[in-house]
Amino acid sequence: MCGIVGVIGKDNTTDILLKGLEKLEYRGYDSAGIYVNNQDGKDFLVKEVGKISELEKAVTSDVQGLVGIGHTRWATHGKPTIENAHPHFSDDNRFYLVHNGVLTNFEELKNKYLSDVHFNSQTDTEVAVQLVDHFAKQGMDGETAFRKALSLIEGSYAFAMVDKEQPDRIFVAKNKSPLLIGLGDGFNVICSDAMAMLEETHEYVEIHDGEVVILKKNSVEISKLDGTKVQRGSYTVNLDASDISKGTYAHYMLKEIDEQPNVMRKISQNYIKNDGTLNVEKDLLDEMNKADRLYIVAAGTSYHAGLVGRNIFEKICDVPVDVELGSEFGYHMPKLSKHPFFIFLSQSGETADSRQVLVKVNELNLPSLTITNVANSTLSREATYTMELLAGPEIAVASTKAYTAQIAVEAVLAKALGEVKGLQSAKDFDVKEQLALAANGIQSIVDAKDKIKKLADEFLTGQRDAFYIGRGIDYALSLEAALKLKEISYIHAEGFAAGELKHGTIALIEKGTPVFAYVNDGVGASHTRGNIQEVEARGANVLVIASKKYAESGDQIIIPEIDELISPIISVVPAQLIAYYASLARGNDVDKPRNLAKSVTVE
Ligand code: AGP
């Protein structure tokens, strides 16, 4: 969601900016732009609505310079138009600025300081750049004006700004929205995430909330808003440019679905030692062992993985678990237990809804763990403990391998915690064997892609609505399966507790309505069969996805053997593939569905 790139000290600035923006495409955007300055009085601003390829077409060969900033915009304030695209500029064309985040007091600032200024856009961002200019016009130098504006601005932001009068530097600031500095030899870059600049550097420095950076080609000066200097070392990002390429695949989503067996093996190798003992931090387990309740906080697919996790932790560790949506929990925090422990699940580690809960958890001095796919992400840095998903970069907006990895890591953690508690349930749960079964089980499903494509065509061609139903673990899974289908195929899909249909929703079932029924939950299996009959009697076209143990003749997809607790790791895969093929059949942009962003960095 909104991406920022910037570079200073290279002579192929335009190229680096455009390539960086392409790498950030996966985050979701609806317009893009660059500002390039040749440090010799000449500068260029190019903006376009739509894909980066449109921006590339608009960039002529003379757009060259030694410093530049670029941006992909996901519209919040104002429609996706060229005027609203970033970079924004002050009315005297002195300052150029890109922004990721949402400014909450922009109307107030506009009324108070900028009533006589002409605005070119409807964005909150333009207020920031006009405000800097307003203070510069009062005689402040660029940096002082930037700091003054920051001291008044409220909300979330990552800013990068170029002052035409000082084009030897980029002004950078951050609060709540992600931004990194990348270090080079005789040049430096900025980016919303490291993937954008891996071709330039693997060495990065974090910027923390409330910090300002003056970036020059040979120096990085970090300070707090009040000017106090900050010293911070760099870290190496161990990713290759090839990790983020599609290879021979038509879409990242299919590649990422296919990668899941390997992700299971990687998690197993990393977290389970050769002697079978678990590689989980002792302090983390001791802290969790003190908790009388676990609170899992997440959004979207990660929330669904949390729902599966609740069952795993409650059954294996005998501890009560609440699973909460970050967007709700942060603002309506219920009465907490006496000794809560928080688990943040987030593929990106940047989701603003979850992060605002973590900020409150830290204010309350409560212990927390972030389980994330992105080392050094904000949620990972700010939680007390971190566990990595090790799924490799997930680029497609629709989350697939991160979901299965989250369940696998939850299973490892539950086993480790249950062992610390000395519980038989933990001893009986052979997580190594289960992850091996998961890898093989996923493989058998992805090997049956052609069959699943046929089923997707048969059940979903021409349909507007679809339902996923199940009980217990299959209900949690149905929510994720339905989300996958709706977010990329745009078919209206709902996940339902199978028993709830007859309390209202069954009224929507008519001749030919596709209903995907999950039967993996032992306790609920026979009842779900009853619910299948109810919808069939009303004309539904039912596709059954059943585990080997509960399968009946006529069931279309059989899930190989695995412990029920983690069965969604395998049984979600047919739903991922069904969604993929339904999206393809409709000619949608599978990897970048409309209106969505990969990393949701605004609340
Ligand atoms: C699902 O396919 C989406 N990408 C979305 O629901 C996602 O899971 C959610 O925005 C949370 O993201 P996170 O895991 O990066 O925190």
Side-chain angles (χ1 to χ4, degrees), residues 463-497:
Q463 295 295 340
R464 272 188 25 196
D465 304 288
F467 297 91
Y468 272 93
I469 62 170
R471 287 170 182 256
I473 197 69
D474 289 332
Y475 170 40
L477 169 62
S478 294
L479 295 174
E480 171 56 13
L483 175 62
K484 275 306 77 90
L485 185 58
K486 66 186 135 190
E487 70 179 328
I488 57 169
S489 75
Y490 316 146
I491 294 170
H492 167 237
E494 297 297 336
F496 269 96

PDB file of all heavy atoms in Angstrom, residues 463-497:
ATOM      1  N   GLN A 463     -20.992 -17.961 -12.319  1.00  0.00           N
ATOM      2  CA  GLN A 463     -21.627 -17.791 -10.991  1.00  0.00           C
ATOM      3  C   GLN A 463     -21.278 -16.434 -10.377  1.00  0.00           C
ATOM      4  O   GLN A 463     -20.178 -15.918 -10.576  1.00  0.00           O
ATOM      5  CB  GLN A 463     -21.145 -18.891 -10.028  1.00  0.00           C
ATOM      6  CG  GLN A 463     -21.569 -20.279 -10.431  1.00  0.00           C
ATOM      7  CD  GLN A 463     -23.084 -20.477 -10.376  1.00  0.00           C
ATOM      8  OE1 GLN A 463     -23.799 -19.734  -9.709  1.00  0.00           O
ATOM      9  NE2 GLN A 463     -23.564 -21.489 -11.086  1.00  0.00           N
ATOM     10  N   ARG A 464     -22.216 -15.917  -9.607  1.00  0.00           N
ATOM     11  CA  ARG A 464     -21.964 -14.650  -8.910  1.00  0.00           C
ATOM     12  C   ARG A 464     -21.685 -14.856  -7.435  1.00  0.00           C
ATOM     13  O   ARG A 464     -21.063 -14.034  -6.780  1.00  0.00           O
ATOM     14  CB  ARG A 464     -23.189 -13.738  -9.055  1.00  0.00           C
ATOM     15  CG  ARG A 464     -23.129 -12.895 -10.297  1.00  0.00           C
ATOM     16  CD  ARG A 464     -24.231 -11.883 -10.327  1.00  0.00           C
ATOM     17  NE  ARG A 464     -24.726 -11.524  -9.007  1.00  0.00           N
ATOM     18  CZ  ARG A 464     -25.869 -10.898  -8.780  1.00  0.00           C
ATOM     19  NH1 ARG A 464     -26.626 -10.552  -9.794  1.00  0.00           N
ATOM     20  NH2 ARG A 464     -26.279 -10.598  -7.572  1.00  0.00           N
ATOM     21  N   ASP A 465     -22.229 -15.957  -6.870  1.00  0.00           N
ATOM     22  CA  ASP A 465     -22.081 -16.224  -5.433  1.00  0.00           C
ATOM     23  C   ASP A 465     -21.571 -17.645  -5.203  1.00  0.00           C
ATOM     24  O   ASP A 465     -21.840 -18.535  -6.004  1.00  0.00           O
ATOM     25  CB  ASP A 465     -23.448 -16.129  -4.726  1.00  0.00           C
ATOM     26  CG  ASP A 465     -24.106 -14.792  -4.969  1.00  0.00           C
ATOM     27  OD1 ASP A 465     -23.642 -13.800  -4.406  1.00  0.00           O
ATOM     28  OD2 ASP A 465     -25.075 -14.770  -5.749  1.00  0.00           O
ATOM     29  N   ALA A 466     -20.887 -17.827  -4.095  1.00  0.00           N
ATOM     30  CA  ALA A 466     -20.456 -19.177  -3.726  1.00  0.00           C
ATOM     31  C   ALA A 466     -20.321 -19.242  -2.205  1.00  0.00           C
ATOM     32  O   ALA A 466     -20.136 -18.207  -1.544  1.00  0.00           O
ATOM     33  CB  ALA A 466     -19.115 -19.501  -4.379  1.00  0.00           C
ATOM     34  N   PHE A 467     -20.426 -20.432  -1.668  1.00  0.00           N
ATOM     35  CA  PHE A 467     -20.315 -20.606  -0.215  1.00  0.00           C
ATOM     36  C   PHE A 467     -19.313 -21.699   0.108  1.00  0.00           C
ATOM     37  O   PHE A 467     -19.249 -22.710  -0.580  1.00  0.00           O
ATOM     38  CB  PHE A 467     -21.680 -20.985   0.386  1.00  0.00           C
ATOM     39  CG  PHE A 467     -22.696 -19.903   0.202  1.00  0.00           C
ATOM     40  CD1 PHE A 467     -23.515 -19.881  -0.911  1.00  0.00           C
ATOM     41  CD2 PHE A 467     -22.791 -18.867   1.125  1.00  0.00           C
ATOM     42  CE1 PHE A 467     -24.429 -18.851  -1.111  1.00  0.00           C
ATOM     43  CE2 PHE A 467     -23.696 -17.831   0.930  1.00  0.00           C
ATOM     44  CZ  PHE A 467     -24.520 -17.824  -0.182  1.00  0.00           C
ATOM     45  N   TYR A 468     -18.534 -21.449   1.143  1.00  0.00           N
ATOM     46  CA  TYR A 468     -17.701 -22.499   1.740  1.00  0.00           C
ATOM     47  C   TYR A 468     -18.305 -22.802   3.096  1.00  0.00           C
ATOM     48  O   TYR A 468     -18.610 -21.871   3.870  1.00  0.00           O
ATOM     49  CB  TYR A 468     -16.261 -22.006   1.933  1.00  0.00           C
ATOM     50  CG  TYR A 468     -15.385 -22.232   0.720  1.00  0.00           C
ATOM     51  CD1 TYR A 468     -15.225 -21.246  -0.246  1.00  0.00           C
ATOM     52  CD2 TYR A 468     -14.708 -23.439   0.542  1.00  0.00           C
ATOM     53  CE1 TYR A 468     -14.418 -21.450  -1.356  1.00  0.00           C
ATOM     54  CE2 TYR A 468     -13.890 -23.646  -0.569  1.00  0.00           C
ATOM     55  CZ  TYR A 468     -13.752 -22.655  -1.514  1.00  0.00           C
ATOM     56  OH  TYR A 468     -12.938 -22.866  -2.615  1.00  0.00           O
ATOM     57  N   ILE A 469     -18.518 -24.070   3.404  1.00  0.00           N
ATOM     58  CA  ILE A 469     -19.074 -24.403   4.721  1.00  0.00           C
ATOM     59  C   ILE A 469     -18.237 -25.490   5.404  1.00  0.00           C
ATOM     60  O   ILE A 469     -17.555 -26.278   4.746  1.00  0.00           O
ATOM     61  CB  ILE A 469     -20.557 -24.862   4.634  1.00  0.00           C
ATOM     62  CG1 ILE A 469     -20.691 -26.137   3.785  1.00  0.00           C
ATOM     63  CG2 ILE A 469     -21.443 -23.752   4.079  1.00  0.00           C
ATOM     64  CD1 ILE A 469     -22.093 -26.780   3.874  1.00  0.00           C
ATOM     65  N   GLY A 470     -18.310 -25.508   6.719  1.00  0.00           N
ATOM     66  CA  GLY A 470     -17.611 -26.525   7.497  1.00  0.00           C
ATOM     67  C   GLY A 470     -17.854 -26.280   8.972  1.00  0.00           C
ATOM     68  O   GLY A 470     -18.411 -25.239   9.350  1.00  0.00           O
ATOM     69  N   ARG A 471     -17.439 -27.227   9.785  1.00  0.00           N
ATOM     70  CA  ARG A 471     -17.597 -27.080  11.237  1.00  0.00           C
ATOM     71  C   ARG A 471     -16.240 -27.154  11.922  1.00  0.00           C
ATOM     72  O   ARG A 471     -15.320 -27.810  11.411  1.00  0.00           O
ATOM     73  CB  ARG A 471     -18.490 -28.195  11.790  1.00  0.00           C
ATOM     74  CG  ARG A 471     -19.941 -28.020  11.441  1.00  0.00           C
ATOM     75  CD  ARG A 471     -20.731 -29.264  11.795  1.00  0.00           C
ATOM     76  NE  ARG A 471     -22.128 -29.072  11.408  1.00  0.00           N
ATOM     77  CZ  ARG A 471     -23.127 -28.805  12.251  1.00  0.00           C
ATOM     78  NH1 ARG A 471     -22.902 -28.714  13.555  1.00  0.00           N
ATOM     79  NH2 ARG A 471     -24.351 -28.661  11.803  1.00  0.00           N
ATOM     80  N   GLY A 472     -16.144 -26.530  13.086  1.00  0.00           N
ATOM     81  CA  GLY A 472     -14.897 -26.594  13.865  1.00  0.00           C
ATOM     82  C   GLY A 472     -13.741 -26.069  13.041  1.00  0.00           C
ATOM     83  O   GLY A 472     -13.778 -24.960  12.497  1.00  0.00           O
ATOM     84  N   ILE A 473     -12.718 -26.899  12.916  1.00  0.00           N
ATOM     85  CA  ILE A 473     -11.525 -26.483  12.193  1.00  0.00           C
ATOM     86  C   ILE A 473     -11.872 -26.126  10.738  1.00  0.00           C
ATOM     87  O   ILE A 473     -11.276 -25.251  10.113  1.00  0.00           O
ATOM     88  CB  ILE A 473     -10.442 -27.597  12.281  1.00  0.00           C
ATOM     89  CG1 ILE A 473      -9.081 -27.070  11.929  1.00  0.00           C
ATOM     90  CG2 ILE A 473     -10.762 -28.805  11.455  1.00  0.00           C
ATOM     91  CD1 ILE A 473      -8.558 -26.130  12.939  1.00  0.00           C
ATOM     92  N   ASP A 474     -12.907 -26.806  10.204  1.00  0.00           N
ATOM     93  CA  ASP A 474     -13.307 -26.533   8.811  1.00  0.00           C
ATOM     94  C   ASP A 474     -14.049 -25.203   8.682  1.00  0.00           C
ATOM     95  O   ASP A 474     -14.133 -24.645   7.588  1.00  0.00           O
ATOM     96  CB  ASP A 474     -14.203 -27.658   8.280  1.00  0.00           C
ATOM     97  CG  ASP A 474     -13.426 -28.939   8.061  1.00  0.00           C
ATOM     98  OD1 ASP A 474     -12.214 -28.860   7.808  1.00  0.00           O
ATOM     99  OD2 ASP A 474     -14.039 -30.024   8.157  1.00  0.00           O
ATOM    100  N   TYR A 475     -14.598 -24.724   9.761  1.00  0.00           N
ATOM    101  CA  TYR A 475     -15.256 -23.401   9.712  1.00  0.00           C
ATOM    102  C   TYR A 475     -14.181 -22.309   9.587  1.00  0.00           C
ATOM    103  O   TYR A 475     -14.256 -21.425   8.721  1.00  0.00           O
ATOM    104  CB  TYR A 475     -16.118 -23.201  10.959  1.00  0.00           C
ATOM    105  CG  TYR A 475     -16.637 -21.780  11.130  1.00  0.00           C
ATOM    106  CD1 TYR A 475     -17.082 -21.052  10.034  1.00  0.00           C
ATOM    107  CD2 TYR A 475     -16.673 -21.178  12.392  1.00  0.00           C
ATOM    108  CE1 TYR A 475     -17.547 -19.750  10.179  1.00  0.00           C
ATOM    109  CE2 TYR A 475     -17.138 -19.886  12.542  1.00  0.00           C
ATOM    110  CZ  TYR A 475     -17.559 -19.168  11.436  1.00  0.00           C
ATOM    111  OH  TYR A 475     -18.001 -17.879  11.576  1.00  0.00           O
ATOM    112  N   ALA A 476     -13.155 -22.432  10.451  1.00  0.00           N
ATOM    113  CA  ALA A 476     -12.039 -21.467  10.360  1.00  0.00           C
ATOM    114  C   ALA A 476     -11.460 -21.486   8.943  1.00  0.00           C
ATOM    115  O   ALA A 476     -11.161 -20.442   8.353  1.00  0.00           O
ATOM    116  CB  ALA A 476     -10.965 -21.824  11.379  1.00  0.00           C
ATOM    117  N   LEU A 477     -11.318 -22.672   8.406  1.00  0.00           N
ATOM    118  CA  LEU A 477     -10.765 -22.847   7.064  1.00  0.00           C
ATOM    119  C   LEU A 477     -11.688 -22.245   5.995  1.00  0.00           C
ATOM    120  O   LEU A 477     -11.228 -21.629   5.027  1.00  0.00           O
ATOM    121  CB  LEU A 477     -10.578 -24.346   6.833  1.00  0.00           C
ATOM    122  CG  LEU A 477     -10.257 -24.851   5.444  1.00  0.00           C
ATOM    123  CD1 LEU A 477      -8.935 -24.298   4.975  1.00  0.00           C
ATOM    124  CD2 LEU A 477     -10.210 -26.375   5.457  1.00  0.00           C
ATOM    125  N   SER A 478     -13.006 -22.417   6.180  1.00  0.00           N
ATOM    126  CA  SER A 478     -13.973 -21.892   5.205  1.00  0.00           C
ATOM    127  C   SER A 478     -13.860 -20.379   5.076  1.00  0.00           C
ATOM    128  O   SER A 478     -14.034 -19.822   3.990  1.00  0.00           O
ATOM    129  CB  SER A 478     -15.406 -22.235   5.624  1.00  0.00           C
ATOM    130  OG  SER A 478     -15.573 -23.623   5.571  1.00  0.00           O
ATOM    131  N   LEU A 479     -13.579 -19.714   6.184  1.00  0.00           N
ATOM    132  CA  LEU A 479     -13.433 -18.250   6.129  1.00  0.00           C
ATOM    133  C   LEU A 479     -12.266 -17.878   5.218  1.00  0.00           C
ATOM    134  O   LEU A 479     -12.348 -16.961   4.411  1.00  0.00           O
ATOM    135  CB  LEU A 479     -13.210 -17.683   7.537  1.00  0.00           C
ATOM    136  CG  LEU A 479     -14.380 -17.857   8.510  1.00  0.00           C
ATOM    137  CD1 LEU A 479     -13.980 -17.384   9.899  1.00  0.00           C
ATOM    138  CD2 LEU A 479     -15.607 -17.089   8.033  1.00  0.00           C
ATOM    139  N   GLU A 480     -11.163 -18.594   5.344  1.00  0.00           N
ATOM    140  CA  GLU A 480     -10.002 -18.303   4.515  1.00  0.00           C
ATOM    141  C   GLU A 480     -10.271 -18.685   3.054  1.00  0.00           C
ATOM    142  O   GLU A 480      -9.912 -17.946   2.131  1.00  0.00           O
ATOM    143  CB  GLU A 480      -8.774 -19.054   5.060  1.00  0.00           C
ATOM    144  CG  GLU A 480      -7.538 -19.020   4.189  1.00  0.00           C
ATOM    145  CD  GLU A 480      -7.058 -17.606   3.849  1.00  0.00           C
ATOM    146  OE1 GLU A 480      -7.518 -16.641   4.463  1.00  0.00           O
ATOM    147  OE2 GLU A 480      -6.227 -17.484   2.926  1.00  0.00           O
ATOM    148  N   ALA A 481     -10.910 -19.842   2.852  1.00  0.00           N
ATOM    149  CA  ALA A 481     -11.185 -20.294   1.483  1.00  0.00           C
ATOM    150  C   ALA A 481     -12.067 -19.267   0.763  1.00  0.00           C
ATOM    151  O   ALA A 481     -11.834 -18.929  -0.399  1.00  0.00           O
ATOM    152  CB  ALA A 481     -11.865 -21.663   1.523  1.00  0.00           C
ATOM    153  N   ALA A 482     -13.063 -18.747   1.468  1.00  0.00           N
ATOM    154  CA  ALA A 482     -13.975 -17.768   0.853  1.00  0.00           C
ATOM    155  C   ALA A 482     -13.247 -16.455   0.573  1.00  0.00           C
ATOM    156  O   ALA A 482     -13.458 -15.823  -0.462  1.00  0.00           O
ATOM    157  CB  ALA A 482     -15.174 -17.527   1.764  1.00  0.00           C
ATOM    158  N   LEU A 483     -12.375 -16.049   1.494  1.00  0.00           N
ATOM    159  CA  LEU A 483     -11.614 -14.816   1.267  1.00  0.00           C
ATOM    160  C   LEU A 483     -10.758 -14.947   0.011  1.00  0.00           C
ATOM    161  O   LEU A 483     -10.693 -14.026  -0.821  1.00  0.00           O
ATOM    162  CB  LEU A 483     -10.730 -14.494   2.485  1.00  0.00           C
ATOM    163  CG  LEU A 483      -9.785 -13.297   2.328  1.00  0.00           C
ATOM    164  CD1 LEU A 483     -10.546 -12.001   2.090  1.00  0.00           C
ATOM    165  CD2 LEU A 483      -8.885 -13.128   3.553  1.00  0.00           C
ATOM    166  N   LYS A 484     -10.107 -16.106  -0.136  1.00  0.00           N
ATOM    167  CA  LYS A 484      -9.263 -16.301  -1.333  1.00  0.00           C
ATOM    168  C   LYS A 484     -10.095 -16.121  -2.592  1.00  0.00           C
ATOM    169  O   LYS A 484      -9.696 -15.430  -3.520  1.00  0.00           O
ATOM    170  CB  LYS A 484      -8.671 -17.714  -1.369  1.00  0.00           C
ATOM    171  CG  LYS A 484      -7.423 -18.035  -0.661  1.00  0.00           C
ATOM    172  CD  LYS A 484      -6.201 -17.238  -0.914  1.00  0.00           C
ATOM    173  CE  LYS A 484      -6.198 -15.906  -0.250  1.00  0.00           C
ATOM    174  NZ  LYS A 484      -5.695 -15.682   1.024  1.00  0.00           N
ATOM    175  N   LEU A 485     -11.272 -16.766  -2.606  1.00  0.00           N
ATOM    176  CA  LEU A 485     -12.090 -16.724  -3.817  1.00  0.00           C
ATOM    177  C   LEU A 485     -12.553 -15.303  -4.121  1.00  0.00           C
ATOM    178  O   LEU A 485     -12.433 -14.819  -5.236  1.00  0.00           O
ATOM    179  CB  LEU A 485     -13.291 -17.675  -3.653  1.00  0.00           C
ATOM    180  CG  LEU A 485     -14.182 -17.823  -4.889  1.00  0.00           C
ATOM    181  CD1 LEU A 485     -13.380 -18.312  -6.090  1.00  0.00           C
ATOM    182  CD2 LEU A 485     -15.329 -18.801  -4.611  1.00  0.00           C
ATOM    183  N   LYS A 486     -13.060 -14.617  -3.092  1.00  0.00           N
ATOM    184  CA  LYS A 486     -13.628 -13.298  -3.402  1.00  0.00           C
ATOM    185  C   LYS A 486     -12.550 -12.277  -3.761  1.00  0.00           C
ATOM    186  O   LYS A 486     -12.740 -11.454  -4.648  1.00  0.00           O
ATOM    187  CB  LYS A 486     -14.556 -12.796  -2.298  1.00  0.00           C
ATOM    188  CG  LYS A 486     -13.949 -12.476  -0.974  1.00  0.00           C
ATOM    189  CD  LYS A 486     -15.054 -12.120   0.045  1.00  0.00           C
ATOM    190  CE  LYS A 486     -14.803 -12.802   1.357  1.00  0.00           C
ATOM    191  NZ  LYS A 486     -15.905 -12.704   2.301  1.00  0.00           N
ATOM    192  N   GLU A 487     -11.390 -12.332  -3.099  1.00  0.00           N
ATOM    193  CA  GLU A 487     -10.425 -11.249  -3.330  1.00  0.00           C
ATOM    194  C   GLU A 487      -9.800 -11.282  -4.717  1.00  0.00           C
ATOM    195  O   GLU A 487      -9.409 -10.236  -5.232  1.00  0.00           O
ATOM    196  CB  GLU A 487      -9.346 -11.196  -2.241  1.00  0.00           C
ATOM    197  CG  GLU A 487      -8.364 -12.335  -2.246  1.00  0.00           C
ATOM    198  CD  GLU A 487      -7.301 -12.207  -1.168  1.00  0.00           C
ATOM    199  OE1 GLU A 487      -6.924 -11.083  -0.822  1.00  0.00           O
ATOM    200  OE2 GLU A 487      -6.853 -13.256  -0.664  1.00  0.00           O
ATOM    201  N   ILE A 488      -9.713 -12.480  -5.334  1.00  0.00           N
ATOM    202  CA  ILE A 488      -9.086 -12.449  -6.666  1.00  0.00           C
ATOM    203  C   ILE A 488     -10.050 -12.771  -7.810  1.00  0.00           C
ATOM    204  O   ILE A 488      -9.792 -12.388  -8.941  1.00  0.00           O
ATOM    205  CB  ILE A 488      -7.834 -13.357  -6.761  1.00  0.00           C
ATOM    206  CG1 ILE A 488      -8.157 -14.803  -6.412  1.00  0.00           C
ATOM    207  CG2 ILE A 488      -6.726 -12.834  -5.902  1.00  0.00           C
ATOM    208  CD1 ILE A 488      -7.011 -15.737  -6.769  1.00  0.00           C
ATOM    209  N   SER A 489     -11.175 -13.463  -7.523  1.00  0.00           N
ATOM    210  CA  SER A 489     -12.104 -13.748  -8.636  1.00  0.00           C
ATOM    211  C   SER A 489     -13.236 -12.730  -8.676  1.00  0.00           C
ATOM    212  O   SER A 489     -13.940 -12.624  -9.664  1.00  0.00           O
ATOM    213  CB  SER A 489     -12.699 -15.145  -8.474  1.00  0.00           C
ATOM    214  OG  SER A 489     -13.682 -15.131  -7.447  1.00  0.00           O
ATOM    215  N   TYR A 490     -13.436 -12.007  -7.567  1.00  0.00           N
ATOM    216  CA  TYR A 490     -14.534 -11.042  -7.391  1.00  0.00           C
ATOM    217  C   TYR A 490     -15.894 -11.733  -7.376  1.00  0.00           C
ATOM    218  O   TYR A 490     -16.933 -11.078  -7.543  1.00  0.00           O
ATOM    219  CB  TYR A 490     -14.509  -9.917  -8.441  1.00  0.00           C
ATOM    220  CG  TYR A 490     -13.136  -9.345  -8.705  1.00  0.00           C
ATOM    221  CD1 TYR A 490     -12.765  -8.899  -9.966  1.00  0.00           C
ATOM    222  CD2 TYR A 490     -12.191  -9.251  -7.685  1.00  0.00           C
ATOM    223  CE1 TYR A 490     -11.495  -8.380 -10.214  1.00  0.00           C
ATOM    224  CE2 TYR A 490     -10.929  -8.733  -7.912  1.00  0.00           C
ATOM    225  CZ  TYR A 490     -10.579  -8.306  -9.179  1.00  0.00           C
ATOM    226  OH  TYR A 490      -9.324  -7.804  -9.403  1.00  0.00           O
ATOM    227  N   ILE A 491     -15.898 -13.057  -7.198  1.00  0.00           N
ATOM    228  CA  ILE A 491     -17.172 -13.760  -6.981  1.00  0.00           C
ATOM    229  C   ILE A 491     -17.529 -13.527  -5.517  1.00  0.00           C
ATOM    230  O   ILE A 491     -16.664 -13.667  -4.628  1.00  0.00           O
ATOM    231  CB  ILE A 491     -17.012 -15.277  -7.237  1.00  0.00           C
ATOM    232  CG1 ILE A 491     -16.716 -15.530  -8.708  1.00  0.00           C
ATOM    233  CG2 ILE A 491     -18.255 -16.046  -6.789  1.00  0.00           C
ATOM    234  CD1 ILE A 491     -16.316 -16.966  -9.021  1.00  0.00           C
ATOM    235  N   HIS A 492     -18.764 -13.170  -5.255  1.00  0.00           N
ATOM    236  CA  HIS A 492     -19.160 -12.980  -3.865  1.00  0.00           C
ATOM    237  C   HIS A 492     -19.111 -14.345  -3.159  1.00  0.00           C
ATOM    238  O   HIS A 492     -19.833 -15.269  -3.535  1.00  0.00           O
ATOM    239  CB  HIS A 492     -20.567 -12.385  -3.791  1.00  0.00           C
ATOM    240  CG  HIS A 492     -21.129 -12.466  -2.415  1.00  0.00           C
ATOM    241  ND1 HIS A 492     -22.304 -13.100  -2.130  1.00  0.00           N
ATOM    242  CD2 HIS A 492     -20.643 -12.024  -1.241  1.00  0.00           C
ATOM    243  CE1 HIS A 492     -22.529 -13.036  -0.834  1.00  0.00           C
ATOM    244  NE2 HIS A 492     -21.533 -12.386  -0.273  1.00  0.00           N
ATOM    245  N   ALA A 493     -18.252 -14.473  -2.181  1.00  0.00           N
ATOM    246  CA  ALA A 493     -18.099 -15.767  -1.506  1.00  0.00           C
ATOM    247  C   ALA A 493     -18.157 -15.572   0.004  1.00  0.00           C
ATOM    248  O   ALA A 493     -17.659 -14.584   0.528  1.00  0.00           O
ATOM    249  CB  ALA A 493     -16.754 -16.381  -1.886  1.00  0.00           C
ATOM    250  N   GLU A 494     -18.808 -16.506   0.679  1.00  0.00           N
ATOM    251  CA  GLU A 494     -18.906 -16.439   2.147  1.00  0.00           C
ATOM    252  C   GLU A 494     -18.466 -17.766   2.750  1.00  0.00           C
ATOM    253  O   GLU A 494     -18.766 -18.826   2.204  1.00  0.00           O
ATOM    254  CB  GLU A 494     -20.352 -16.172   2.580  1.00  0.00           C
ATOM    255  CG  GLU A 494     -20.919 -14.846   2.128  1.00  0.00           C
ATOM    256  CD  GLU A 494     -20.184 -13.650   2.706  1.00  0.00           C
ATOM    257  OE1 GLU A 494     -19.556 -13.778   3.778  1.00  0.00           O
ATOM    258  OE2 GLU A 494     -20.206 -12.582   2.078  1.00  0.00           O
ATOM    259  N   GLY A 495     -17.800 -17.660   3.886  1.00  0.00           N
ATOM    260  CA  GLY A 495     -17.467 -18.867   4.644  1.00  0.00           C
ATOM    261  C   GLY A 495     -18.440 -18.969   5.809  1.00  0.00           C
ATOM    262  O   GLY A 495     -18.642 -17.982   6.527  1.00  0.00           O
ATOM    263  N   PHE A 496     -19.053 -20.125   5.978  1.00  0.00           N
ATOM    264  CA  PHE A 496     -20.065 -20.268   7.032  1.00  0.00           C
ATOM    265  C   PHE A 496     -19.816 -21.490   7.896  1.00  0.00           C
ATOM    266  O   PHE A 496     -19.350 -22.523   7.411  1.00  0.00           O
ATOM    267  CB  PHE A 496     -21.465 -20.434   6.415  1.00  0.00           C
ATOM    268  CG  PHE A 496     -22.137 -19.112   6.244  1.00  0.00           C
ATOM    269  CD1 PHE A 496     -22.083 -18.448   5.044  1.00  0.00           C
ATOM    270  CD2 PHE A 496     -22.793 -18.519   7.306  1.00  0.00           C
ATOM    271  CE1 PHE A 496     -22.659 -17.205   4.897  1.00  0.00           C
ATOM    272  CE2 PHE A 496     -23.376 -17.275   7.173  1.00  0.00           C
ATOM    273  CZ  PHE A 496     -23.315 -16.618   5.954  1.00  0.00           C
ATOM    274  N   ALA A 497     -20.190 -21.338   9.164  1.00  0.00           N
ATOM    275  CA  ALA A 497     -20.271 -22.520  10.020  1.00  0.00           C
ATOM    276  C   ALA A 497     -21.456 -23.323   9.458  1.00  0.00           C
ATOM    277  O   ALA A 497     -22.565 -22.785   9.343  1.00  0.00           O
ATOM    278  CB  ALA A 497     -20.542 -22.093  11.456  1.00  0.00           C
TER     279      ALA A 497
END
